[in-house]
C-alpha cells in the first residue's frame, strides 16, 4: 500500500510592488494631465544643458502654434514677448538661475502666433536640478493667460488714480483721519487751507487743529458717530492754522465702517467759509450800529409826533391833523423796520435769548390778536379762533411766539382782500402743539413755499412797495420757531389763500 502524501500546490503569482506603484503613478499623472489641460495652463520643461524644450499641448494652444512646426520653442517664445517686457523678463530669469531668487513669477505681454493683439500672460517657473557646482540644469514652469484679470487690474488702478487726482485737486479740503485723530491722508486744498505740508499733516493729531471753544461740540458729534446714533454730521467751526491765525470751515464728517460695521476711519471734508463769516460779522456789526444809531432819533421823532397827534388830532386845522397822521404812520413804519432789522440780526447770529416756560397758549394767541388790532382794523379783517382743548398749555417762549403770531396775522391781513377772513386753529396731541393761521388772500404757489422764508423775498417786487414790507417777517419767524425746537411751514390748501403752520414738539 502506497504512502500517499498531500499534493503541494504553488501560490498564484503576485504583481511586484514596484509595478503597482508605477501603475498608480501613471494614473495620477493621467489625472493631473487631464486637469492641467482642462485648466488651459501651459507647461514647459527647458533642459539648460542641451537648450531644448518640452512643452504641453496647452502651451501650444496658448501660443497659437498647435498646427505649426517649430524647431526652437524658446526662441519663438522670446520673439513674441512685448519688447518693453522682454528685458524685465530676462532679468528675472537670470536672477533665478544665478540663485538670487527662489522662483520666477512675472506678468508680461505676449502676442500669440495667430493674433495681432498683445495679451497678458503669467509665468511661474523654478529650477529643480543643479550640478555639483550649483549650476542650474533645467527650468520647469507654467504659463497661462491673465488678460481679463489684468484689464480689470489696470482699470481699477486707473480708477484709483483718477479718484486720487480728483480728491487731490478738488478745491474742497479733504482728509482721512484715523480713529485716534491722526491724519492718514490730506489733499492739497486742505494743506493750503491750514498751512501744513502733507508730511507735516501725517505727524499731526487733527483734534489739535480745532479751536478749543469748538472742541466740546466736536467731541459730542464724534461720540454720536461711534455709538451708531448718527451716520455723519455737519457743522461750522474754527481751525487754528500753522501761522496761528483762525479760519472758519463748514465741516462734513462721515465715519467709515467695514463689512462687519466696525469703525475704520473718518472721512472729513472742509469748505473754507472764512471770508463769508467775516462778511457776515461786518454786516451784523453794521446793522447793529446803524439800527442803534438810528433808533435814538427815530424814537425822538416818533415821541414828538405822538404828542403832537394827541394835541392837534381833534383840532380845527384838519390839514395839520392829516399831515400829523401821515408823519405818525411813517415813523411807526420806520420803527417797525428797525425792530425787524434787530430781530433778524439777533436770530441769524443765534444770539437771541429764549425763555422757555409752560404757558397758556390761548392767552398768547389772544394777546397777539390784540396787539395786531391796528392792521386788522385797517383791513377790516374778521378773526376766528378755534382750538382742540378748552385749555392748552405748552412749553415755549411766550413773548417770541406772540411776535411770530403777530407777524403771521400782519401778513394775512395785508395779503387778503378788505374784510377778509383769517382763521386761527390751535390743536394739541401727545407730541406736538400745532397752530395754523389761514387766510383767503392771493396765496403763495407751491413752488415758492420754501423761497418765501428767504430774507427779502417777494413773489413780485411791487409787493414790497404795495404792502410796505422788506421781507424779513417769515425768515425771522422760522428762525425763532426753530430755535424753540419746532418748525414753521406753508401748507398746501384748496382754494385761495395761504396756511402757515407752527409745530412745537413736547419739551
Amino acid at each position: 500500500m502506497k504512502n500517499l502524501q498531500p499534493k503541494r500546490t504553488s501560490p498564484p503569482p503576485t504583481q511586484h510592488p514596484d509595478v503597482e506603484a508605477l501603475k498608480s503613478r501613471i494614473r495620477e499623472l493621467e489625472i493631473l494631465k487631464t486637469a492641467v489641460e482642462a485648466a488651459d495652463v501651459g507647461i514647459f520643461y527647458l533642459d539648460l544643458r542641451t537648450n531644448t524644450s518640452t512643452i504641453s499641448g496647452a502651451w501650444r494652444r496658448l501660443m497659437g502654434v498647435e498646427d505649426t512646426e517649430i524647431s526652437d520653442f524658446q526662441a519663438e517664445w522670446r520673439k513674441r514677448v512685448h519688447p518693453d517686457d522682454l528685458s524685465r523678463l530676462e532679468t528675472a530669469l537670470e536672477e533665478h538661475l544665478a540663485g538670487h531668487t527662489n522662483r520666477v513669477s512675472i506678468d508680461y505681454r505676449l502676442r500669440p502666433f495667430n493674433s495681432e493683439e498683445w495679451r497678458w500672460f503669467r509665468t511661474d517657473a523654478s529650477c529643480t536640478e543643479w550640478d555639483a557646482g550649483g549650476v542650474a540644469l533645467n527650468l520647469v514652469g507654467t504659463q497661462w493667460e491673465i488678460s481679463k484679470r489684468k484689464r480689470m487690474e489696470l482699470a481699477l488702478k486707473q480708477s484709483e488714480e483718477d479718484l486720487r487726482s480728483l480728491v487731490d485737486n478738488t478745491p474742497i479740503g479733504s482728509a482721512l483721519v484715523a480713529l485716534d485723530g491722526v491724519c492718514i491722508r490730506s489733499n492739497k486744498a486742505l494743506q493750503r487751507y491750514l498751512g501744513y505740508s502733507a508730511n507735516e499733516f501725517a505727524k499731526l493729531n487733527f483734534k489739535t487743529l480745532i479751536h478749543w471753544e469748538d472742541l466740546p461740540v466736536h467731541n459730542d458729534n464724534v461720540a454720536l458717530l461711534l455709538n451708531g446714533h448718527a451716520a455723519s454730521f455737519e457743522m461750522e467751526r474754527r481751525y487754528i492754522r500753522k501761522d496761528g491765525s483762525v479760519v472758519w470751515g463748514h465741516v462734513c464728517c462721515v465715519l467709515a465702517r467695514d463689512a462687519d460695521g466696525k469703525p475704520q476711519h473718518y472721512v472729513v471734508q472742509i469748505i473754507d467759509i472764512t471770508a463769508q463769516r467775516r462778511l457776515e460779522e461786518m454786516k451784523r456789526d453794521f446793522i447793529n450800529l446803524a439800527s442803534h444809531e438810528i433808533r435814538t432819533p427815530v424814537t425822538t421823532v416818533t415821541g414828538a409826533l405822538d404828542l403832537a397827534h394827541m394835541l392837534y388830532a381833534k383840532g380845527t386845522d384838519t390839514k395839520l391833523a392829516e399831515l400829523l397822521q401821515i408823519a405818525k404812520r411813517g415813523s411807526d413804519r420806520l420803527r417797525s423796520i428797525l425792530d425787524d432789522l434787530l430781530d433778524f440780526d439777533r436770530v441769524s447770529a443765534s444770539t437771541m435769548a429764549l425763555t422757555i416756560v409752560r404757558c397758556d397758549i390761548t392767552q398768547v394767541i389772544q394777546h397777539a390778536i390784540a396787539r395786531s388790532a391796528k392792521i386788522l382794523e385797517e383791513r377790516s379783517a374778521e378773526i376766528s379762533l378755534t382750538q382742540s382743548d378748552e385749555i392748552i398749555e405748552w412749553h415755549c417762549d411766550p413773548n417770541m411766539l406772540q411776535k411770530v403770531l403777530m407777524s403771521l396775522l400782519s401778513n394775512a391781513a395785508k395779503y387778503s382782500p378788505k374784510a377778509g377772513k383769517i382763521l386761527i386753529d390751535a390743536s394739541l396731541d401727545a407730541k406736538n402743539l400745532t397752530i395754523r393761521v389761514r387766510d383767503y388772500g392771493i396765496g403763495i404757489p407751491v413752488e415758492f413755499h420754501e423761497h418765501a422764508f428767504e430774507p427779502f423775498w417777494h413773489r413780485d417786487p411791487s409787493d414790497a412797495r404795495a404792502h410796505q414790507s422788506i421781507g424779513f417777517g417769515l425768515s425771522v419767524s422760522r428762525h425763532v420757531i426753530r430755535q424753540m425746537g419746532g418748525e414753521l411751514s406753508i401748507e398746501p390748501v384748496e382754494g385761495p389763500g395761504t396756511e402757515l403752520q407752527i409745530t412745537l414738539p413736547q419739551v
Side-chain angles (χ1 to χ4, degrees), residues 366-394:
Q366 289 173 343
H367 285 173
I369 294 172
R371 294 192 60 184
S372 305
K374 185 176 179 180
I375 182 65
L376 296 175
E377 289 172 2
E378 287 177 0
R379 303 296 298 169
S380 302
E382 180 184 338
I383 297 289
S384 175
L385 170 61
T386 59
Q387 53 190 60
S388 61
D389 300 82
E390 183 177 349
I391 298 175
I392 296 180
E393 292 185 344
W394 206 251

PDB file of all heavy atoms in Angstrom, residues 366-394:
ATOM      1  N   GLN A 366     -54.421 135.247  21.964  1.00  0.00           N
ATOM      2  CA  GLN A 366     -55.306 136.401  22.161  1.00  0.00           C
ATOM      3  C   GLN A 366     -54.520 137.707  22.301  1.00  0.00           C
ATOM      4  O   GLN A 366     -54.934 138.752  21.792  1.00  0.00           O
ATOM      5  CB  GLN A 366     -56.189 136.169  23.391  1.00  0.00           C
ATOM      6  CG  GLN A 366     -57.258 135.104  23.155  1.00  0.00           C
ATOM      7  CD  GLN A 366     -58.028 134.760  24.422  1.00  0.00           C
ATOM      8  OE1 GLN A 366     -57.587 135.068  25.539  1.00  0.00           O
ATOM      9  NE2 GLN A 366     -59.178 134.096  24.253  1.00  0.00           N
ATOM     10  N   HIS A 367     -53.355 137.647  22.977  1.00  0.00           N
ATOM     11  CA  HIS A 367     -52.514 138.834  23.088  1.00  0.00           C
ATOM     12  C   HIS A 367     -51.974 139.244  21.719  1.00  0.00           C
ATOM     13  O   HIS A 367     -51.884 140.443  21.413  1.00  0.00           O
ATOM     14  CB  HIS A 367     -51.354 138.571  24.042  1.00  0.00           C
ATOM     15  CG  HIS A 367     -51.766 138.574  25.484  1.00  0.00           C
ATOM     16  ND1 HIS A 367     -50.911 138.225  26.502  1.00  0.00           N
ATOM     17  CD2 HIS A 367     -52.957 138.887  26.089  1.00  0.00           C
ATOM     18  CE1 HIS A 367     -51.539 138.314  27.669  1.00  0.00           C
ATOM     19  NE2 HIS A 367     -52.791 138.710  27.430  1.00  0.00           N
ATOM     20  N   ALA A 368     -51.606 138.245  20.891  1.00  0.00           N
ATOM     21  CA  ALA A 368     -51.128 138.543  19.544  1.00  0.00           C
ATOM     22  C   ALA A 368     -52.221 139.219  18.715  1.00  0.00           C
ATOM     23  O   ALA A 368     -51.952 140.165  17.965  1.00  0.00           O
ATOM     24  CB  ALA A 368     -50.648 137.261  18.866  1.00  0.00           C
ATOM     25  N   ILE A 369     -53.460 138.732  18.853  1.00  0.00           N
ATOM     26  CA  ILE A 369     -54.586 139.342  18.127  1.00  0.00           C
ATOM     27  C   ILE A 369     -54.792 140.777  18.605  1.00  0.00           C
ATOM     28  O   ILE A 369     -54.979 141.706  17.799  1.00  0.00           O
ATOM     29  CB  ILE A 369     -55.870 138.507  18.319  1.00  0.00           C
ATOM     30  CG1 ILE A 369     -55.714 137.127  17.664  1.00  0.00           C
ATOM     31  CG2 ILE A 369     -57.075 139.238  17.736  1.00  0.00           C
ATOM     32  CD1 ILE A 369     -56.855 136.176  17.975  1.00  0.00           C
ATOM     33  N   ALA A 370     -54.740 140.980  19.919  1.00  0.00           N
ATOM     34  CA  ALA A 370     -54.967 142.316  20.478  1.00  0.00           C
ATOM     35  C   ALA A 370     -53.887 143.294  20.003  1.00  0.00           C
ATOM     36  O   ALA A 370     -54.183 144.443  19.652  1.00  0.00           O
ATOM     37  CB  ALA A 370     -54.988 142.240  22.001  1.00  0.00           C
ATOM     38  N   ARG A 371     -52.627 142.855  19.967  1.00  0.00           N
ATOM     39  CA  ARG A 371     -51.542 143.735  19.559  1.00  0.00           C
ATOM     40  C   ARG A 371     -51.500 143.934  18.044  1.00  0.00           C
ATOM     41  O   ARG A 371     -50.784 144.822  17.552  1.00  0.00           O
ATOM     42  CB  ARG A 371     -50.203 143.192  20.046  1.00  0.00           C
ATOM     43  CG  ARG A 371     -50.085 143.200  21.573  1.00  0.00           C
ATOM     44  CD  ARG A 371     -48.672 142.935  22.011  1.00  0.00           C
ATOM     45  NE  ARG A 371     -47.740 143.942  21.509  1.00  0.00           N
ATOM     46  CZ  ARG A 371     -46.420 143.899  21.695  1.00  0.00           C
ATOM     47  NH1 ARG A 371     -45.896 142.880  22.381  1.00  0.00           N
ATOM     48  NH2 ARG A 371     -45.639 144.832  21.204  1.00  0.00           N
ATOM     49  N   SER A 372     -52.251 143.124  17.297  1.00  0.00           N
ATOM     50  CA  SER A 372     -52.356 143.294  15.847  1.00  0.00           C
ATOM     51  C   SER A 372     -53.630 144.046  15.465  1.00  0.00           C
ATOM     52  O   SER A 372     -53.986 144.113  14.281  1.00  0.00           O
ATOM     53  CB  SER A 372     -52.352 141.918  15.147  1.00  0.00           C
ATOM     54  OG  SER A 372     -51.222 141.163  15.499  1.00  0.00           O
ATOM     55  N   ALA A 373     -54.320 144.613  16.465  1.00  0.00           N
ATOM     56  CA  ALA A 373     -55.630 145.237  16.227  1.00  0.00           C
ATOM     57  C   ALA A 373     -55.569 146.323  15.163  1.00  0.00           C
ATOM     58  O   ALA A 373     -56.485 146.442  14.332  1.00  0.00           O
ATOM     59  CB  ALA A 373     -56.171 145.790  17.539  1.00  0.00           C
ATOM     60  N   LYS A 374     -54.487 147.098  15.157  1.00  0.00           N
ATOM     61  CA  LYS A 374     -54.409 148.232  14.231  1.00  0.00           C
ATOM     62  C   LYS A 374     -54.474 147.776  12.771  1.00  0.00           C
ATOM     63  O   LYS A 374     -55.292 148.260  11.989  1.00  0.00           O
ATOM     64  CB  LYS A 374     -53.112 149.008  14.483  1.00  0.00           C
ATOM     65  CG  LYS A 374     -53.017 150.279  13.653  1.00  0.00           C
ATOM     66  CD  LYS A 374     -51.763 151.049  14.027  1.00  0.00           C
ATOM     67  CE  LYS A 374     -51.672 152.317  13.176  1.00  0.00           C
ATOM     68  NZ  LYS A 374     -50.462 153.114  13.495  1.00  0.00           N
ATOM     69  N   ILE A 375     -53.615 146.843  12.372  1.00  0.00           N
ATOM     70  CA  ILE A 375     -53.616 146.386  10.988  1.00  0.00           C
ATOM     71  C   ILE A 375     -54.884 145.616  10.666  1.00  0.00           C
ATOM     72  O   ILE A 375     -55.423 145.703   9.552  1.00  0.00           O
ATOM     73  CB  ILE A 375     -52.359 145.519  10.696  1.00  0.00           C
ATOM     74  CG1 ILE A 375     -52.319 145.085   9.230  1.00  0.00           C
ATOM     75  CG2 ILE A 375     -52.313 144.287  11.585  1.00  0.00           C
ATOM     76  CD1 ILE A 375     -52.154 146.203   8.253  1.00  0.00           C
ATOM     77  N   LEU A 376     -55.401 144.871  11.651  1.00  0.00           N
ATOM     78  CA  LEU A 376     -56.641 144.115  11.418  1.00  0.00           C
ATOM     79  C   LEU A 376     -57.815 145.057  11.203  1.00  0.00           C
ATOM     80  O   LEU A 376     -58.680 144.815  10.343  1.00  0.00           O
ATOM     81  CB  LEU A 376     -56.915 143.185  12.599  1.00  0.00           C
ATOM     82  CG  LEU A 376     -55.874 142.061  12.841  1.00  0.00           C
ATOM     83  CD1 LEU A 376     -56.204 141.293  14.106  1.00  0.00           C
ATOM     84  CD2 LEU A 376     -55.815 141.112  11.648  1.00  0.00           C
ATOM     85  N   GLU A 377     -57.858 146.156  11.966  1.00  0.00           N
ATOM     86  CA  GLU A 377     -58.939 147.137  11.799  1.00  0.00           C
ATOM     87  C   GLU A 377     -58.807 147.868  10.471  1.00  0.00           C
ATOM     88  O   GLU A 377     -59.802 148.138   9.791  1.00  0.00           O
ATOM     89  CB  GLU A 377     -58.921 148.128  12.961  1.00  0.00           C
ATOM     90  CG  GLU A 377     -59.367 147.522  14.290  1.00  0.00           C
ATOM     91  CD  GLU A 377     -59.165 148.472  15.449  1.00  0.00           C
ATOM     92  OE1 GLU A 377     -58.708 149.612  15.204  1.00  0.00           O
ATOM     93  OE2 GLU A 377     -59.434 148.068  16.598  1.00  0.00           O
ATOM     94  N   GLU A 378     -57.567 148.217  10.112  1.00  0.00           N
ATOM     95  CA  GLU A 378     -57.358 148.905   8.832  1.00  0.00           C
ATOM     96  C   GLU A 378     -57.855 148.059   7.674  1.00  0.00           C
ATOM     97  O   GLU A 378     -58.384 148.591   6.693  1.00  0.00           O
ATOM     98  CB  GLU A 378     -55.874 149.227   8.640  1.00  0.00           C
ATOM     99  CG  GLU A 378     -55.362 150.363   9.513  1.00  0.00           C
ATOM    100  CD  GLU A 378     -53.863 150.573   9.324  1.00  0.00           C
ATOM    101  OE1 GLU A 378     -53.253 149.816   8.510  1.00  0.00           O
ATOM    102  OE2 GLU A 378     -53.295 151.461   9.985  1.00  0.00           O
ATOM    103  N   ARG A 379     -57.662 146.731   7.765  1.00  0.00           N
ATOM    104  CA  ARG A 379     -58.087 145.838   6.685  1.00  0.00           C
ATOM    105  C   ARG A 379     -59.469 145.255   6.918  1.00  0.00           C
ATOM    106  O   ARG A 379     -59.953 144.465   6.099  1.00  0.00           O
ATOM    107  CB  ARG A 379     -57.080 144.677   6.562  1.00  0.00           C
ATOM    108  CG  ARG A 379     -55.653 145.104   6.316  1.00  0.00           C
ATOM    109  CD  ARG A 379     -55.501 145.804   4.980  1.00  0.00           C
ATOM    110  NE  ARG A 379     -55.851 144.927   3.877  1.00  0.00           N
ATOM    111  CZ  ARG A 379     -56.018 145.320   2.620  1.00  0.00           C
ATOM    112  NH1 ARG A 379     -55.896 146.603   2.311  1.00  0.00           N
ATOM    113  NH2 ARG A 379     -56.346 144.463   1.675  1.00  0.00           N
ATOM    114  N   SER A 380     -60.114 145.667   8.034  1.00  0.00           N
ATOM    115  CA  SER A 380     -61.464 145.170   8.392  1.00  0.00           C
ATOM    116  C   SER A 380     -61.498 143.640   8.400  1.00  0.00           C
ATOM    117  O   SER A 380     -62.475 143.000   7.972  1.00  0.00           O
ATOM    118  CB  SER A 380     -62.513 145.698   7.412  1.00  0.00           C
ATOM    119  OG  SER A 380     -62.507 147.107   7.404  1.00  0.00           O
ATOM    120  N   ALA A 381     -60.405 143.032   8.878  1.00  0.00           N
ATOM    121  CA  ALA A 381     -60.296 141.576   8.865  1.00  0.00           C
ATOM    122  C   ALA A 381     -61.174 140.944   9.936  1.00  0.00           C
ATOM    123  O   ALA A 381     -61.347 141.490  11.032  1.00  0.00           O
ATOM    124  CB  ALA A 381     -58.845 141.163   9.092  1.00  0.00           C
ATOM    125  N   GLU A 382     -61.724 139.788   9.603  1.00  0.00           N
ATOM    126  CA  GLU A 382     -62.582 139.040  10.532  1.00  0.00           C
ATOM    127  C   GLU A 382     -61.772 137.856  11.082  1.00  0.00           C
ATOM    128  O   GLU A 382     -61.382 136.966  10.338  1.00  0.00           O
ATOM    129  CB  GLU A 382     -63.821 138.535   9.807  1.00  0.00           C
ATOM    130  CG  GLU A 382     -64.777 137.746  10.690  1.00  0.00           C
ATOM    131  CD  GLU A 382     -65.952 137.178   9.921  1.00  0.00           C
ATOM    132  OE1 GLU A 382     -66.275 137.713   8.835  1.00  0.00           O
ATOM    133  OE2 GLU A 382     -66.532 136.186  10.395  1.00  0.00           O
ATOM    134  N   ILE A 383     -61.534 137.876  12.396  1.00  0.00           N
ATOM    135  CA  ILE A 383     -60.702 136.851  13.034  1.00  0.00           C
ATOM    136  C   ILE A 383     -61.571 135.775  13.665  1.00  0.00           C
ATOM    137  O   ILE A 383     -62.561 136.080  14.349  1.00  0.00           O
ATOM    138  CB  ILE A 383     -59.796 137.465  14.116  1.00  0.00           C
ATOM    139  CG1 ILE A 383     -58.810 138.456  13.507  1.00  0.00           C
ATOM    140  CG2 ILE A 383     -59.021 136.380  14.865  1.00  0.00           C
ATOM    141  CD1 ILE A 383     -57.731 137.811  12.699  1.00  0.00           C
ATOM    142  N   SER A 384     -61.201 134.522  13.461  1.00  0.00           N
ATOM    143  CA  SER A 384     -61.906 133.395  14.069  1.00  0.00           C
ATOM    144  C   SER A 384     -60.877 132.469  14.709  1.00  0.00           C
ATOM    145  O   SER A 384     -59.904 132.069  14.054  1.00  0.00           O
ATOM    146  CB  SER A 384     -62.708 132.639  13.009  1.00  0.00           C
ATOM    147  OG  SER A 384     -63.304 131.479  13.568  1.00  0.00           O
ATOM    148  N   LEU A 385     -61.068 132.132  16.007  1.00  0.00           N
ATOM    149  CA  LEU A 385     -60.136 131.265  16.729  1.00  0.00           C
ATOM    150  C   LEU A 385     -60.842 129.993  17.170  1.00  0.00           C
ATOM    151  O   LEU A 385     -61.898 130.032  17.798  1.00  0.00           O
ATOM    152  CB  LEU A 385     -59.569 131.995  17.956  1.00  0.00           C
ATOM    153  CG  LEU A 385     -58.751 131.142  18.944  1.00  0.00           C
ATOM    154  CD1 LEU A 385     -57.520 130.542  18.271  1.00  0.00           C
ATOM    155  CD2 LEU A 385     -58.365 131.974  20.168  1.00  0.00           C
ATOM    156  N   THR A 386     -60.259 128.860  16.813  1.00  0.00           N
ATOM    157  CA  THR A 386     -60.753 127.553  17.277  1.00  0.00           C
ATOM    158  C   THR A 386     -59.588 126.800  17.907  1.00  0.00           C
ATOM    159  O   THR A 386     -58.424 127.018  17.545  1.00  0.00           O
ATOM    160  CB  THR A 386     -61.323 126.713  16.118  1.00  0.00           C
ATOM    161  OG1 THR A 386     -60.302 126.496  15.135  1.00  0.00           O
ATOM    162  CG2 THR A 386     -62.499 127.434  15.459  1.00  0.00           C
ATOM    163  N   GLN A 387     -59.923 125.904  18.858  1.00  0.00           N
ATOM    164  CA  GLN A 387     -58.871 125.106  19.479  1.00  0.00           C
ATOM    165  C   GLN A 387     -59.411 123.759  19.916  1.00  0.00           C
ATOM    166  O   GLN A 387     -60.615 123.600  20.177  1.00  0.00           O
ATOM    167  CB  GLN A 387     -58.244 125.853  20.649  1.00  0.00           C
ATOM    168  CG  GLN A 387     -59.210 126.363  21.692  1.00  0.00           C
ATOM    169  CD  GLN A 387     -58.532 127.306  22.678  1.00  0.00           C
ATOM    170  OE1 GLN A 387     -57.994 128.347  22.301  1.00  0.00           O
ATOM    171  NE2 GLN A 387     -58.555 126.906  23.951  1.00  0.00           N
ATOM    172  N   SER A 388     -58.519 122.778  19.970  1.00  0.00           N
ATOM    173  CA  SER A 388     -58.934 121.399  20.242  1.00  0.00           C
ATOM    174  C   SER A 388     -59.316 121.186  21.700  1.00  0.00           C
ATOM    175  O   SER A 388     -60.129 120.319  22.017  1.00  0.00           O
ATOM    176  CB  SER A 388     -57.799 120.433  19.869  1.00  0.00           C
ATOM    177  OG  SER A 388     -56.641 120.715  20.646  1.00  0.00           O
ATOM    178  N   ASP A 389     -58.727 121.967  22.615  1.00  0.00           N
ATOM    179  CA  ASP A 389     -58.985 121.825  24.041  1.00  0.00           C
ATOM    180  C   ASP A 389     -59.351 123.184  24.638  1.00  0.00           C
ATOM    181  O   ASP A 389     -58.890 124.227  24.146  1.00  0.00           O
ATOM    182  CB  ASP A 389     -57.755 121.269  24.762  1.00  0.00           C
ATOM    183  CG  ASP A 389     -57.354 119.900  24.237  1.00  0.00           C
ATOM    184  OD1 ASP A 389     -56.664 119.854  23.202  1.00  0.00           O
ATOM    185  OD2 ASP A 389     -57.720 118.909  24.859  1.00  0.00           O
ATOM    186  N   GLU A 390     -60.127 123.161  25.652  1.00  0.00           N
ATOM    187  CA  GLU A 390     -60.535 124.417  26.275  1.00  0.00           C
ATOM    188  C   GLU A 390     -59.320 125.148  26.853  1.00  0.00           C
ATOM    189  O   GLU A 390     -59.214 126.372  26.752  1.00  0.00           O
ATOM    190  CB  GLU A 390     -61.557 124.124  27.385  1.00  0.00           C
ATOM    191  CG  GLU A 390     -62.103 125.389  28.049  1.00  0.00           C
ATOM    192  CD  GLU A 390     -63.165 125.079  29.084  1.00  0.00           C
ATOM    193  OE1 GLU A 390     -63.632 123.917  29.154  1.00  0.00           O
ATOM    194  OE2 GLU A 390     -63.553 125.999  29.829  1.00  0.00           O
ATOM    195  N   ILE A 391     -58.427 124.377  27.462  1.00  0.00           N
ATOM    196  CA  ILE A 391     -57.189 124.963  27.993  1.00  0.00           C
ATOM    197  C   ILE A 391     -56.014 124.244  27.329  1.00  0.00           C
ATOM    198  O   ILE A 391     -55.915 123.012  27.386  1.00  0.00           O
ATOM    199  CB  ILE A 391     -57.100 124.804  29.525  1.00  0.00           C
ATOM    200  CG1 ILE A 391     -58.247 125.548  30.201  1.00  0.00           C
ATOM    201  CG2 ILE A 391     -55.750 125.310  30.035  1.00  0.00           C
ATOM    202  CD1 ILE A 391     -58.297 125.343  31.702  1.00  0.00           C
ATOM    203  N   ILE A 392     -55.165 125.028  26.687  1.00  0.00           N
ATOM    204  CA  ILE A 392     -53.969 124.466  26.042  1.00  0.00           C
ATOM    205  C   ILE A 392     -52.748 125.094  26.695  1.00  0.00           C
ATOM    206  O   ILE A 392     -52.532 126.299  26.613  1.00  0.00           O
ATOM    207  CB  ILE A 392     -53.963 124.736  24.527  1.00  0.00           C
ATOM    208  CG1 ILE A 392     -55.135 124.040  23.841  1.00  0.00           C
ATOM    209  CG2 ILE A 392     -52.640 124.272  23.911  1.00  0.00           C
ATOM    210  CD1 ILE A 392     -55.198 124.264  22.356  1.00  0.00           C
ATOM    211  N   GLU A 393     -51.949 124.255  27.362  1.00  0.00           N
ATOM    212  CA  GLU A 393     -50.701 124.716  27.954  1.00  0.00           C
ATOM    213  C   GLU A 393     -49.542 123.973  27.305  1.00  0.00           C
ATOM    214  O   GLU A 393     -49.630 122.768  27.053  1.00  0.00           O
ATOM    215  CB  GLU A 393     -50.704 124.488  29.474  1.00  0.00           C
ATOM    216  CG  GLU A 393     -51.706 125.368  30.206  1.00  0.00           C
ATOM    217  CD  GLU A 393     -51.599 125.222  31.721  1.00  0.00           C
ATOM    218  OE1 GLU A 393     -50.972 124.230  32.171  1.00  0.00           O
ATOM    219  OE2 GLU A 393     -52.117 126.080  32.446  1.00  0.00           O
ATOM    220  N   TRP A 394     -48.464 124.712  27.041  1.00  0.00           N
ATOM    221  CA  TRP A 394     -47.328 124.115  26.331  1.00  0.00           C
ATOM    222  C   TRP A 394     -46.056 124.883  26.671  1.00  0.00           C
ATOM    223  O   TRP A 394     -46.111 126.043  27.086  1.00  0.00           O
ATOM    224  CB  TRP A 394     -47.571 124.179  24.820  1.00  0.00           C
ATOM    225  CG  TRP A 394     -46.840 123.107  24.045  1.00  0.00           C
ATOM    226  CD1 TRP A 394     -45.775 123.291  23.232  1.00  0.00           C
ATOM    227  CD2 TRP A 394     -47.144 121.713  24.000  1.00  0.00           C
ATOM    228  NE1 TRP A 394     -45.376 122.103  22.676  1.00  0.00           N
ATOM    229  CE2 TRP A 394     -46.205 121.099  23.132  1.00  0.00           C
ATOM    230  CE3 TRP A 394     -48.096 120.909  24.614  1.00  0.00           C
ATOM    231  CZ2 TRP A 394     -46.205 119.740  22.864  1.00  0.00           C
ATOM    232  CZ3 TRP A 394     -48.092 119.561  24.345  1.00  0.00           C
ATOM    233  CH2 TRP A 394     -47.162 118.983  23.475  1.00  0.00           C
TER     234      TRP A 394
END
